[in-house]
Amino acid sequence: SFIIHLLSTPKKGEIMKTNKSTKRPAIFPNLGFSTRNSTSVSFVLWLLLVLNSSPTRRRCRHLAWAQNNETHFLDRFTYQSETIDRGDGFFDYRPQEWSAIDCDHSTRQALDQCLGYAYKWHEGINWTIQDNYCKWCPAVEEGGEPQQQLCGDRHHQSPINLEREYGFENSTNPNVMDCTDLHWMKYEDSFCTLDQLVDADAFTIERHGLRIAQPITVYDDITEDVDGVVDGVRLNCRLPGNGTRFGRIDFSKGFSDWWLLSHIDIHVPSEHTQEGKRYSAEIEMYHFYSIDYDNEMATVSVFMEAYDDAPPYRFLDKVICQWRRKEYETRLQCGLDPIDSTYPGCFPLKRQRDRRRHLKRKTNVDDSPTSQESGAFEGTFANKKPKFRTFADVIYHNEMNRDNPHHRPVEIEIDDENFDEADEKDWDAWIAQQSQRMKQEDELYHKLKNNDYGGKHTDDMHEKYRNLIMGDENEWFNYWPMIGVRTEYYYRYQGTSTTPPCYGADQFGTRRGVNHWRVLKDPIRIHPRQLFELERLIRERIAPPDDPVNPCQPDTAADVDSNGKVNTARPLMYHSPRAHAKTFCECKDWESKWPEDRAWCEMQDINERFYEQPYNFESDGW
């Protein structure tokens, strides 16, 4: 309407032209158009159609909807091939259009209602769509042809394909970089127990995948809190007499301090590929360095692959049961019947817990007037208290407001225990013990399967195996993927997070703001029954009752095919040698503590080791 009004307004000093046959004003007199000029009219109508279907039109609809309905920007993202117009004035954007996701920063309440980012920050002002780092830099076009032009010769977008060629010494490929790392990624557990994680509601089923958060508490200093800014965040797990400690991991070369664990996400299938191989799933362990070090973030990633002859991985059964518990509680809150299917890997509770506080809890404010716990339900959006669900949220929040002179950074309170020297532990002996235990479990599984069940895996056999390995007595370990993978060697590169806002600044020549990836070379071997349950949890996700879009309705971002297969993987981005700085670290760089690694490294033929027997276990190539 604005364009028609503009084009129809006579120029200064000009008399309004009329159509001679009707004596009515001609259409767009300033351009000499009339109703008899069908070509001109068609062109204008085509122009209006293009404008009406553009992202700009979508954002205008958002503004109108926000003004009329007192809500703001409920755009989300999806892994489906087409953007979905939900009919409520907002969209679920396909991967090609994730960069169009925007959030309203005008009020704190509006920010709380921004659904488009998997990791939220709050109270931000003066930040725009430019702070969404997502770009569409596909490895292949929709037609399947290679595409290397959309983002030029450098970008940091993830995920990418990982190649063993980048581990060759004296390679003729000018893009191959030597691995400069000198030691393994040493990891030490946090003080969070499984019971604490369960009580804090840390196991959640998100639209984009399955999550385990490290529970945090946001503290408000009531005497100084005149502007509503949060004053501090700390880990909500305490070991009596020892304070709190994050899970932490030590990167080699260039990082003198520990990286601290924020949360774990599981995507199905894997987002990265290795030599073109896409795996059944990918575990992404997100870490932060320190807000004093330019808000750097890192992800340690582990593939999972389903094999018919693989025993169920005991730790994966343990976390699957917690997501099933979360699913049960959500359905109960929504007045829905429990799911019909059972899962043989779930352990009985050792003690009866009072779950009513989880089922009745309406807000994220605890009994203390000075704190709020992120593990609780968010409640309605009328609650204006800011809430950080993970430490990544705090990092994002500070980064998005870095140039705002009115912003006071939210400080992460880290006890001195997090900066202590490494634990006094015989890591060689501990890892050898883990390796021996998993070998014994493999042997037990195959003996049970072949002798008692005729070589077939059944739910009854799965349950019996769980009891034999005393699965319900397994001690919790927050870095459980690092045990099951049984390797120290990995790919490293500089990229972005794989969900909006695709955190990772596109600045060539600096590591500031990028997401540092470490992707382990081998997959964890899991049983197909475990993969099926991961897919089912994502596919049958029910939105919680406080969801602003689909409360108590089926709601997943996954692309689900006609066979029920789930896809929550962002499409591959093409490799940018100048920005990604990809390399592969393996036997020549340090000696591994894992016996499986050392046996693999004995293969002298590098082509055999890299391509014919690429894993620490026997396989037919990839």
Side-chain angles (χ1 to χ4, degrees), residues 152-214:
D153 62 352
R154 74 172 179 86
H155 70 88
H156 283 107
Q157 296 295 301
S158 296
I160 60 174
N161 181 47
L162 304 168
E163 301 161 284
R164 292 285 176 96
E165 177 186 9
Y166 285 80
F168 281 122
E169 288 186 291
N170 305 317
S171 173
T172 57
N173 185 338
N175 295 321
V176 171
M177 302 173 59
D178 290 335
C179 173
T180 57
D181 291 359
L182 303 175
H183 61 77
W184 69 308
M185 291 185 294
K186 184 177 183 178
Y187 44 88
E188 295 183 351
D189 204 3
S190 81
F191 288 168
C192 292
T193 67
L194 180 60
D195 284 344
Q196 287 174 320
L197 294 179
V198 172
D199 289 341
D201 201 27
F203 292 86
T204 56
I205 305 172
E206 306 290 335
R207 293 185 70 251
H208 68 279
L210 303 167
R211 174 176 290 180
I212 309 172
Q214 293 290 290

Side-chain angles (χ1 to χ4, degrees), residues 217-232:
T217 298
V218 180
Y219 288 90
D220 293 335
D221 186 338
I222 300 300
T223 61
E224 298 179 1
D225 192 16
V226 296
D227 58 358
V229 176
V230 182
D231 297 309

Side-chain angles (χ1 to χ4, degrees), residues 35 58 95 185 193 235 242 294 358 404 468 497 520 574 606:
T35 53
R58 293 175 182 173
M185 291 185 294
T193 67
L235 184 67
N242 292 277
D294 295 329
H358 290 293
N404 176 12
L468 288 172
S497 61
L520 278 298
Y574 66 82
I606 195 169

Side-chain angles (χ1 to χ4, degrees), residues 15 122 213 287 292 294 354 483 489 523 533 539 568 577 608 621:
I15 300 176
H122 299 267
H287 294 73
D292 295 329
D294 295 329
D354 181 4
I483 298 177
Y489 300 130
E533 189 63 17
R539 180 177 62 246
T568 61
E608 179 184 7

